[in-house]
Amino acid sequence: MLEVQDLRVVFPNGVEALKSISISATKSEVIAIIGRSGAGKSTLLRAINGLQRPTSGTIKLDGEEITRMNDTQLRLARRYMGFIWQEYNLVERLPAITNVLTGRLGYNMGWQSWLGYFDKSHREIALQNLERVGLLHRANNRSDKLSGGEKQRVAIARAISQEPKIILADEPVASLDPELSVQVMEDLARVAREIGVLTLINIHQVELARRFCDRIIGIAQGKVEFDGSPDEMDDDVLDRIYRFDQPVKAKHEPAIADVV
Ligand SMILES: Nc1ncnc2c1ncn2[C@@H]1O[C@H](COP(=O)(O)OP(=O)(O)O)[C@@H](O)[C@H]1O
Ligand SMILES: [Mg+2]
C-alpha cells in the first residue's frame, strides 16, 4: 500500500514542482499518471523512490515511511522498488539474462554477485520472468542487439525479478513507435496484474492510459487535477489536465507589416 500525504517539492531555484499531492493506492492497482510535460510526474516518482527529498509531506510504502529514511535505509528500500525508464537503462554489452539477474542483486550474497555468479534458483526466476514477457529465446542475446521493444521487456523482467512492492515506470514507451508502445504497455499491465504489484506509470498517451490502466491520476501544475477510473475521464477532465498546454498567445498579435 502506498500513501502519499500533502507532498510538496520545491527545488532550490524556487520551482514548486509538486504543490500538495495526496494519493492512496493499494496493492495490485495499475495506475497511469498523466499530465503535460513539466506537470511534476517524474518528480513524484523520484520522491516515491527517495531520489528526490520532499520539502514537506510524507510517503509511506507498506507502512514504512520513505520520507524519514536515511540514505542507507533508502538504498535498502529501493531493492523492493522496480524501476522502468524511458531509455531502458540496461547494461548494453551484457546478455538479456544477466540484465534481468541484476534485479536479483538484493537477494544474492554480496561477493558472489560481484563475481557475476548467481545460483540456480536466481537464474530460474530470471528465466521465468523473461518467459513472462515472451523473451526466453533472447536470454543469451547481448542487450545491444535487441530492439527497443525487446529492451523494454527485459527491463520489465528485471523489475519483476526484484519481487518489488511497487513498480515505478517513467514514460516507459516514450521511445517506442505507436505499435510497439501498445505491445509494451500491454505486457507491463498484464505482468503487473499477474504478480499483483502496485504499478505507477507516467505516460503522456492518454489512449494507452485509458486502455491499460485501472485508474488514472491527472497532474497539472503540481496538483492532482483528476483521480478516477478511465470511464470517468471525459473531455472536461482532459481539458482541466491539459489546458495549461495551450501556447500562450500574445495579446496583440503583430501584423506582418510590423515585423518586416
Ligand atoms: N532538478 C530540478 N531543478 C529545478 N527544477 C526542476 C528540477 N527537476 C524538475 N524541475 C522542474 O519541476 C517541474 C516538474 O518537472 P517534472 O517532474 O520533470 O515534470 P514531468 O515529468 O511531468 O514532465 C518542471 O517545471 C521542471 O522544469
Ligand atoms: Mg517526466
Side-chain angles (χ1 to χ4, degrees), residues 27-39:
K27 204 169 178 302
S28 85
E29 280 185 283
V30 178
I31 303 175
I33 298 172
I34 62 169
R36 68 187 266 281
S37 175

Side-chain angles (χ1 to χ4, degrees), residues 1-4 23-27 48 58-69 73 77 80-81 165-166 198:
M1 168 140 196
L2 175 74
E3 288 161 277
V4 177
I23 294 168
S24 171
T26 52
K27 204 169 178 302
I48 294 171
T58 57
I59 299 171
K60 283 189 194 163
L61 184 62
D62 288 354
E64 288 188 74
E65 197 173 329
I66 292 168
T67 33
R68 287 179 60 153
M69 291 180 181
Q73 291 168 321
Y80 307 104
M81 300 184 192
K165 293 178 182 172
I166 190 168
L198 170 60

Side-chain angles (χ1 to χ4, degrees), residues 124-225:
E124 269 165 18
I125 291 171
L127 288 169
Q128 273 164 15
N129 288 334
L130 272 174
E131 189 172 31
R132 263 185 212 279
V133 295
L135 278 186
L136 192 55
H137 63 295
R138 299 293 243 161
N140 293 313
N141 283 80
R142 269 174 63 129
S143 303
D144 55 7
K145 297 285 182 283
L146 303 176
S147 70
E150 288 173 333
K151 285 182 185 175
Q152 203 54 304
R153 287 199 184 86
V154 171
I156 294 170
R158 175 180 59 190
I160 57 175
S161 293
Q162 289 175 252
E163 295 173 38
K165 293 178 182 172
I166 190 168
I167 290 178
L168 303 168
D170 198 354
E171 306 276 3
V173 298
S175 297
L176 303 175
D177 67 36
E179 201 181 322
L180 279 177
S181 297
V182 171
Q183 290 171 16
V184 168
M185 273 298 285
E186 193 165 25
D187 274 341
L188 175 55
R190 174 182 51 78
V191 165
R193 288 189 182 109
E194 273 172 18
I195 62 172
V197 63
L198 170 60
T199 300
L200 302 188
I201 309 171
N202 282 357
I203 186 160
H204 62 257
Q205 296 97 319
V206 175
E207 334 77 70
L208 294 181
R210 263 193 216 280
R211 189 162 155 196
F212 294 111
C213 300
D214 316 313
R215 174 174 164 193
I216 299 179
I217 296 177
I219 296 189
Q221 298 200 318
K223 289 193 197 146
V224 173
E225 190 62 53

Side-chain angles (χ1 to χ4, degrees), residues 9-18 33-46 52 170-171 202 219 221-222:
V9 172
V10 184
F11 287 110
N13 64 359
V15 171
E16 191 179 19
L18 298 179
I33 298 172
I34 62 169
R36 68 187 266 281
S37 175
K41 305 181 295 297
S42 295
T43 306
L44 174 61
L45 293 199
R46 288 169 55 79
Q52 176 61 53
D170 198 354
E171 306 276 3
N202 282 357
I219 296 189
Q221 298 200 318

